[in-house]
Amino acid sequence: MKQIDKHQQDWDEPINENFEKFGNSDYTDNVIYLNGAQKDTNGGQIWWRCSILGETKLYQIEGYVQLPTVAAGQTIDVFNIPGLTSTVRSVMIVLKDGFKADSIYLDKSGNPGTFCISNYSGQTQNSWRAKYCIWVICDN
């Protein structure tokens, strides 16, 4: 962000440069489903958008996904957001619908833009429908 000098006669240049660093993309359903995960069979799907906030990007990801069967102790990638390619600084994931077990977690994968499901429950979890709300903060 460009600093504004209170003694500067014309503040338009630094203000305009700062506001150029802000913007939003439209919501899109451009999601790549992986390893048996798929669009929800009841018509729901994952939508996402990117908001550029100066030096950071905020990705808002929300929707239903039909998750695959996950064996005990298994972690598998389930979907990828193609536009999410920057270094991830923070992720907040909330399960809004589709509770399966206390030991089932959605998290960011080691692969850029990809999210994985992990099963720590000690037993296989059969395919289920879940709705997530995810916020990701990345470098711009």
Side-chain angles (χ1 to χ4, degrees), residues 8-136:
Q8 183 176 345
Q9 290 184 0
D10 183 8
W11 289 10
D12 287 345
E13 183 183 333
I15 289 173
N16 289 338
E17 283 186 34
N18 288 341
F19 278 106
E20 286 174 2
K21 297 178 183 178
F22 291 81
N24 292 320
S25 67
D26 291 330
Y27 280 96
T28 180
D29 63 351
N30 181 16
V31 175
I32 300 168
Y33 296 92
L34 305 166
N35 299 314
Q38 55 190 322
K39 286 184 182 179
D40 175 51
T41 55
N42 293 326
Q45 60 191 23
I46 296 173
W47 292 87
W48 67 274
R49 74 183 271 180
C50 176
S51 298
I52 299 171
L53 307 172
E55 296 178 2
T56 63
K57 290 181 180 178
L58 171 64
Y59 287 86
Q60 299 162 274
I61 306 161
E62 185 168 357
Y64 282 96
V65 59
Q66 187 71 34
L67 292 163
T69 297
V70 184
Q74 186 179 27
T75 296
I76 56 173
D77 290 345
V78 289
F79 63 88
N80 177 275
I81 305 299
L84 207 164
T85 57
S86 304
T87 302
V88 173
R89 297 297 176 195
S90 178
V91 176
M92 181 184 73
I93 300 173
V94 177
L95 175 64
K96 295 181 82 174
D97 186 20
F99 178 77
K100 188 70 171 168
D102 285 331
S103 304
I104 304 293
Y105 300 101
L106 184 76
D107 201 358
K108 67 181 179 82
S109 168
N111 299 317
T114 302
F115 291 84
C116 62
I117 195 86
S118 297
N119 178 0
Y120 300 105
S121 71
Q123 58 190 21
T124 296
Q125 299 295 323
N126 292 326
S127 178
W128 74 102
R129 174 182 189 246
K131 182 178 184 181
Y132 288 97
C133 178
I134 306 167
W135 283 25
V136 180

